[in-house]
């Protein structure tokens, strides 16, 4: 179940329920700094970038930028951490979610 709104301030958390337990991703779930699995809370520190950023926790993008730099320096065209196929799979899932919600990419921007 997904709820979104541009007019209402929603909790911005995610909960995943399965037969073996629950995963909770606290606010903001799209760029979290903690994860709760089966009641155990793990916290992840974000790197310091030395200046204020526009969006909450976007300094986490440093990890992606560093991986891109590492791949370029090694002459790689693909990261072992996030393969092209994984990127395509995620995009396909997101397109299906948008389709089922009756949304398009243009609706978001």
């Amino acid at each position: 179940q997904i709820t979104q709104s541009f007019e209402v301030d929603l909790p911005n958390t995610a909960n995943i329920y399965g037969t073996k337990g629950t995963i909770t991703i606290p606010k903001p779930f799209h760029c979290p700094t903690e994860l709760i699995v089966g009641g155990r809370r793990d916290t992840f520190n974000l790197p310091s970038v030395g200046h204020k950023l526009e969006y909450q926790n976007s300094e986490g993008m440093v990890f992606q930028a560093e991986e891109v730099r590492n791949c370029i320096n090694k002459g790689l065209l693909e990261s072992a951490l996030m393969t092209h196929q994984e990127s395509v799979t995620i995009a396909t899932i997101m397109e299906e979610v948008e389709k089922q919600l009756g949304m398009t990419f243009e609706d978001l921007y």
Side-chain angles (χ1 to χ4, degrees), residues 58-70 82:
S58 55
E59 55 266 41
M61 297 294 290
V62 167
F63 300 119
Q64 290 175 317
E66 286 176 350
E67 178 62 10
V68 169
R69 183 183 64 207
N70 290 336
M82 177 64 75

Side-chain angles (χ1 to χ4, degrees), residues 66-97:
E66 286 176 350
E67 178 62 10
V68 169
R69 183 183 64 207
N70 290 336
C71 289
I72 291 170
N73 287 340
K74 293 177 182 176
L76 300 174
L77 298 176
E78 179 177 43
S79 169
L81 298 177
M82 177 64 75
T83 65
H84 293 154
Q85 186 54 54
E86 288 173 302
S87 295
V88 169
T89 298
I90 291 168
T92 301
I93 291 168
M94 293 304 296
E95 286 177 350
E96 182 60 27
V97 167

Side-chain angles (χ1 to χ4, degrees), residues 4-82:
Q4 79 163 28
S5 176
F6 292 109
E7 298 174 6
V8 177
D9 186 20
L10 297 171
N12 201 10
T13 61
N15 294 293
I16 303 166
Y17 302 98
T19 58
K20 295 183 180 182
T22 302
I23 299 171
T24 300
I25 306 170
K27 180 179 184 175
F29 81 90
H30 63 282
C31 53
T33 57
E34 55 186 337
L35 182 67
I36 304 165
V37 180
R40 179 181 154 203
R41 182 180 301 262
D42 287 314
T43 302
F44 308 93
N45 294 320
L46 295 173
S48 175
V49 295
H51 59 279
K52 184 175 176 2
L53 300 172
E54 184 72 24
Y55 299 104
Q56 181 179 8
N57 295 357
S58 55
E59 55 266 41
M61 297 294 290
V62 167
F63 300 119
Q64 290 175 317
E66 286 176 350
E67 178 62 10
V68 169
R69 183 183 64 207
N70 290 336
C71 289
I72 291 170
N73 287 340
K74 293 177 182 176
L76 300 174
L77 298 176
E78 179 177 43
S79 169
L81 298 177
M82 177 64 75

